[in-house]
Amino acid sequence: MEALQLEDFIGYRFLSAVQLSPNGSYAAYGVKTSNSEKKEYLSDLWITAVRDGQTRQYTGMGDVGSFRWLDDETLFIQADREHSDKELHPLEPQTHFYTLRLDGGEALKAFTLPLRVTEILPLNGNRWAVRAIYDNTYPTLTGQTEEEKDQARKNFDEEQDYTVMDEIPFWQNGAGITNKKRSRVYLYDATDGSLTPLSSSYFDVSLMKVNQAQTQLMYIGVDYTDKMGLTDSLWTVDLGTGQAHERIAAGTYQFRTAEYVGEDIVFVASERRKYTINENPTFSRLDSQGRITRFADPDLSVGNTVGTDCRLGEGRWFMAEEDGVYCIVTDQACSRLCKITYDGRIEFLSQAEGSMDVLAKHMETVVFIGMREQRLQELYRLDLSSGEETPLTNFNDQVLNGKYVAVPQPLSFANKDGVEIDGWVLLPKDYDAGRTYPAILNIHGGPKTVYGTVFSHEMQLWANEGYFVFFSNPRGGDGRGDDFADIRGRYGTVDYDDLMEFTDRVLETYPAIDRQRLGVTGGSYGGFMTNWIIGHTSRFTAAVSQRSISNWISMCCTTDIGYYFAVDQTASTPWDGGERMWEQSPLKYADRVQTPTLFLHSDEDFRCWQVEALQMFTALKMHGVASRLCLFKGENHELSRSGKPVHRIRRLKEISAWFTSYLQPSK
């Protein structure tokens, strides 16, 4: 059996955004692949017949963005087929849309909008609901004279030597500088080309939906001009009159999602009653009279938080129908399909281990993109009447064919406090119990996410390079309810204890692991914990800290979420309990570190800004500890999951070289 190679992920195909045709016969979805230069990803549209799995590629230029079915025979796609040699000015964005027939033929141009469109929904009468980026500092040039446009371009260009910030957050991970930029809703009439704003210019829209009759539009978000609040308001617009009404005011809910059921709105939102920003949501229904009825409070985490480095793109995880809601939830170490009726009854509709990433539903048939056993993403059909799952595609079978893929060995235990902790171990390739091996502890991010049994390229790579790889879900993680996830003010305490106890259990269970050759790594929260571990124990011979937090005070005052996340998670502020923030900061303990540590960070990571790595790296150098910092240009917090392929290759090379030099020096 061949060894999995570092660059094998270049051949992986990543599926997302599955949607069923109105009659349920065909599933359309996006497939992303790495381009030949490994500098970006290509995105194309594929369609699979739900009944027999016949699959066909429908575009081949790698330029497809969003898409949706207009009817059973027609798709509407966002793509860039213009190929203009003229470079557009930033003040004159364009988004192009096309129609594509199911029976084949070229994509036909529908229209171009002078906006950076992020979402578009069809309405009656050749009208469209559009969500797009609006810049309050530099409004659109549409409707201006040529003289006014020239002056606006000149003013913009002159300002590019300066960055002005007068609100928080002033930047956002993956979006760059966002000061005074908002996501805004428009009504577009394709008949006359008119664009009418429906939301105010400082209202940042996070969700937009249209009712089935296409007479009413709903949008959810937050209105701010100085500091973004943490609760949303919900508005509806009568599409006949254009009148907007605030249906739910800000102050109570952090919305996760919402959908129409008839004239009612069913929504999922955290009410922050006890567990604040990480609290699991409740399920409620808003009727046409403005009455809100909470119909379920299940202490379930909605959506899929099962971690892997083998996903790209998103899609739908929630559907509201007349008989209840169908929702992907994270349950322990898996994500599953759950049905919740309007009288509060809960039923799990899928039982298989792994992850259900995104879904679509028609009557008793669900199609979903997921990861089963040690397979990469594929499209599956779930028959709700029988519970039977059937794979519909095999995009990724060939790339793993004949390669060693380690099967996660479960190692769960009751910790010293009697709390059940889930964990797994990957055995090294060609494992021989008579030999000794190095091992790597890998720590997930979040912390409110989970590891499970799904395929992870980086962990499989390390197993193929001769390491035991072990990983677990300590307290603070997802899938076990609010109380399990709540470590506010306790970072580096119970979670650290769980990880160290798990390490002890792994070493006891697998005596072939050389205790003098242990490595530790993790990203985001896992990076925080890596920084914390090396300041509290010398049991690890080498460490790799990725997109980490080292100082809660600087994290609070520099990052896109810091002003509320750091305050909430440390249960303190720099001015009220600053000593508690410092007590929970790995940087405080940097003078104790003995472990050689590699730091990986991105210069556009505004979630955990690069200063976090710079501080810890500098501190270790000041104290004579072997350390190295690799800073990735043009990448953000998602480097390991959606960074440029060439950068992901360099990242893995850095990690492998660091661990090899300290854990396998004889190689």
Side-chain angles (χ1 to χ4, degrees):
M1 187 169 288
E2 296 180 16
L4 185 76
Q5 300 298 316
L6 186 152
E7 294 196 19
D8 280 344
F9 91 90
I10 297 298
Y12 298 169
R13 295 182 179 184
F14 308 100
L15 284 60
S16 64
V18 62
Q19 299 176 40
L20 282 170
S21 58
N23 62 11
S25 297
Y26 295 96
Y29 48 95
V31 177
K32 292 186 178 180
T33 55
S34 302
N35 73 343
S36 58
E37 293 82 20
K38 305 175 186 176
K39 295 290 182 67
E40 61 182 358
Y41 300 96
L42 305 177
S43 180
D44 281 300
L45 183 70
W46 288 68
I47 295 178
T48 293
V50 175
R51 179 183 293 273
D52 58 16
Q54 288 191 10
T55 297
R56 178 180 172 187
Q57 183 174 354
Y58 267 75
T59 68
M61 299 179 68
D63 63 344
V64 175
S66 63
F67 58 89
R68 64 181 54 256
W69 292 92
L70 293 182
D71 54 46
D72 290 325
E73 302 296 330
T74 313
L75 285 145
F76 183 74
I77 65 172
Q78 175 187 331
D80 187 5
R81 305 288 168 88
E82 303 305 297
H83 307 297
S84 173
D85 293 331
K86 179 183 177 182
E87 185 174 348
L88 294 174
H89 192 275
L91 293 184
E92 299 175 283
Q94 291 183 351
T95 308
H96 309 287
F97 296 95
Y98 303 80
T99 58
L100 184 66
R101 293 282 299 174
L102 192 62
D103 55 9
E106 290 291 327
L108 301 177
K109 182 72 172 291
F111 49 77
T112 295
L113 293 179
L115 299 168
R116 293 183 183 89
V117 176
T118 57
E119 184 178 13
I120 187 166
L121 303 175
L123 303 173
N124 293 324
N126 208 19
R127 299 186 304 166
W128 302 79
V130 178
R131 187 153 63 104
I133 302 302
Y134 179 81
D135 190 337
N136 282 280
T137 304
Y138 300 103
T140 177
L141 300 186
T142 302
Q144 295 187 15
T145 66
E146 284 304 316
E147 183 178 355
E148 290 170 333
K149 290 180 180 180
D150 287 341
Q151 186 60 50
R153 295 186 196 102
K154 180 180 179 181
N155 293 342
F156 178 90
D157 294 341
E158 288 176 350
E159 283 293 305
Q160 297 317 295
D161 283 348
Y162 318 99
T163 299
V164 177
M165 301 171 177
D166 56 6
E167 64 182 21
I168 56 174
F170 42 79
W171 53 26
Q172 293 184 30
N173 187 65
I177 302 295
T178 56
N179 196 77
K180 291 293 186 284
K181 294 178 182 177
R182 302 291 188 266
S183 180
R184 197 173 187 186
V185 174
Y186 299 82
L187 180 64
Y188 173 63
D189 191 326
T191 303
D192 59 14
S194 61
L195 267 171
T196 305
L198 298 179
S199 59
S200 63
S201 65
Y202 282 98
F203 192 100
D204 194 36
V205 177
S206 57
L207 182 140
M208 175 181 72
K209 298 285 183 178
V210 175
N211 67 350
Q212 188 172 4
Q214 299 182 354
T215 58
Q216 189 179 94
L217 178 144
M218 161 184 55
Y219 63 86
I220 294 171
V222 57
D223 196 0
Y224 70 101
T225 55
D226 189 57
K227 181 178 74 172
M228 186 181 73
L230 301 184
T231 59
D232 305 294
S233 59
L234 184 153
W235 292 69
T236 58
V237 179
D238 185 315
L239 292 171
T241 66
Q243 290 295 310
H245 303 277
E246 185 178 47
R247 303 287 299 280
I248 299 178
T252 301
Y253 298 108
Q254 283 181 313
F255 286 87
R256 306 293 180 84
T257 192
E259 286 195 0
Y260 280 100
V261 175
E263 296 306 308
D264 292 356
I265 295 172
V266 175
F267 63 89
V268 183
S270 172
E271 299 180 46
R272 308 189 310 154
R273 293 164 296 174
K274 180 179 178 181
Y275 296 96
T276 61
I277 64 173
N278 275 342
E279 184 173 274
N280 284 333
T282 57
F283 293 71
S284 301
R285 187 164 182 159
L286 170 69
D287 68 18
S288 59
Q289 304 302 310
R291 295 171 297 212
I292 298 174
T293 303
R294 183 196 300 146
F295 61 87
D297 188 3
D299 196 17
L300 289 172
S301 175
V302 297
N304 169 42
T305 65
V306 179
T308 179
D309 54 0
C310 293
R311 290 191 195 98
L312 277 174
E314 299 177 341
R316 197 172 183 182
W317 53 266
F318 176 85
M319 299 185 71
E321 299 192 350
E322 291 293 342
D323 61 340
V325 301
Y326 295 80
C327 180
I328 294 174
V329 300
T330 298
D331 176 40
Q332 290 194 277
C334 300
S335 52
R336 311 181 192 277
L337 179 60
C338 177
K339 178 182 179 182
I340 303 177
T341 61
Y342 297 121
D343 59 3
R345 289 180 289 116
I346 300 171
E347 178 185 4
F348 282 92
L349 303 177
S350 66
Q351 301 298 327
E353 286 194 7
S355 74
M356 182 177 284
D357 301 345
V358 297
L359 62 82
K361 178 180 178 295
H362 182 266
M363 300 179 70
E364 291 298 300
T365 298
V366 170
V367 293
F368 68 92
I369 294 165
M371 302 179 75
R372 293 291 187 246
E373 297 176 334
Q374 276 64 65
R375 299 183 76 196
L376 289 157
Q377 281 186 319
E378 299 293 350
L379 184 70
Y380 293 83
R381 181 182 68 234
L382 170 64
D383 186 330
L384 295 182
S385 60
S386 66
E388 181 181 359
E389 280 188 13
T390 304
L392 295 176
T393 62
N394 57 357
F395 281 103
N396 288 300
D397 284 356
Q398 189 60 39
V399 72
L400 296 180
N401 187 37
K403 300 294 180 75
Y404 173 67
V405 177
V407 177
Q409 307 298 308
L411 203 167
S412 299
F413 64 98
N415 69 12
K416 64 181 181 180
D417 296 323
V419 179
E420 190 74 15
I421 303 297
D422 293 325
W424 298 266
V425 179
L426 301 183
L427 304 184
K429 185 178 183 296
D430 302 322
Y431 170 60
D432 179 353
R435 292 178 51 197
T436 58
Y437 297 85
I440 299 170
L441 167 63
N442 197 20
I443 306 168
H444 67 61
K448 200 170 184 280
T449 65
V450 296
Y451 274 146
T453 58
V454 300
F455 183 95
S456 165
H457 178 72
E458 63 179 27
M459 289 198 274
Q460 291 291 343
L461 172 66
W462 301 333
N464 275 268
E465 291 179 336
Y467 297 93
F468 275 86
V469 183
F470 56 107
F471 48 100
S472 72
N473 295 328
R475 280 172 285 184
D478 206 2
R480 302 281 292 275
D482 281 327
D483 194 57
F484 184 90
D486 185 24
I487 57 170
R488 289 170 299 164
R490 299 188 295 160
Y491 274 61
T493 60
V494 296
D495 48 349
Y496 171 77
D497 291 343
D498 289 347
L499 288 166
M500 293 304 98
E501 193 171 349
F502 174 60
T503 301
D504 293 338
R505 297 298 180 103
V506 170
L507 296 178
E508 292 168 5
T509 306
Y510 295 95
I513 295 176
D514 185 344
R515 295 174 180 236
Q516 305 305 311
R517 293 192 290 159
L518 297 181
V520 59
T521 188
S524 196
Y525 164 77
F528 161 86
M529 185 50 69
T530 299
N531 290 344
W532 184 269
I533 285 171
I534 61 177
H536 287 78
T537 179
S538 58
R539 72 187 303 179
F540 294 93
T541 306
V544 179
S545 174
Q546 307 171 57
R547 61 186 193 280
S548 67
I549 298 171
S550 64
N551 182 348
W552 283 109
I553 296 174
S554 57
M555 193 271 181
C556 173
C557 297
T558 60
T559 71
D560 61 350
I561 65 171
Y563 70 97
Y564 62 87
F565 182 83
V567 168
D568 180 81
Q569 294 296 287
T570 65
S572 55
T573 77
W575 309 276
D576 178 14
E579 69 282 356
R580 293 196 301 275
M581 271 193 164
W582 184 237
E583 287 288 335
Q584 296 173 75
S585 296
L587 188 62
K588 176 181 178 180
Y589 311 97
D591 60 337
R592 306 177 185 179
V593 176
Q594 301 176 31
T595 308
T597 303
L598 167 67
F599 296 93
L600 301 177
H601 223 97
S602 300
D603 69 349
E604 294 180 10
D605 184 344
F606 302 139
R607 185 62 37 84
C608 298
W609 195 34
Q610 60 182 311
V611 69
E612 299 303 310
L614 292 170
Q615 289 177 93
M616 200 70 183
F617 168 72
T618 299
L620 265 58
K621 285 293 188 184
M622 289 174 66
H623 290 90
V625 179
S627 50
R628 173 182 170 91
L629 170 63
C630 183
L631 193 63
F632 291 80
K633 296 181 180 180
E635 295 290 356
N636 60 49
H637 198 64
E638 303 304 310
L639 167 65
S640 64
R641 296 173 286 239
S642 62
K644 295 180 181 66
V646 66
H647 291 168
R648 293 176 70 179
I649 290 170
R650 175 60 181 267
R651 169 186 170 270
L652 285 172
K653 285 182 176 179
E654 288 280 342
I655 295 172
S656 292
W658 189 260
F659 280 142
T660 296
S661 65
Y662 288 98
L663 304 185
Q664 302 196 60
S666 60
K667 278 198 169 185

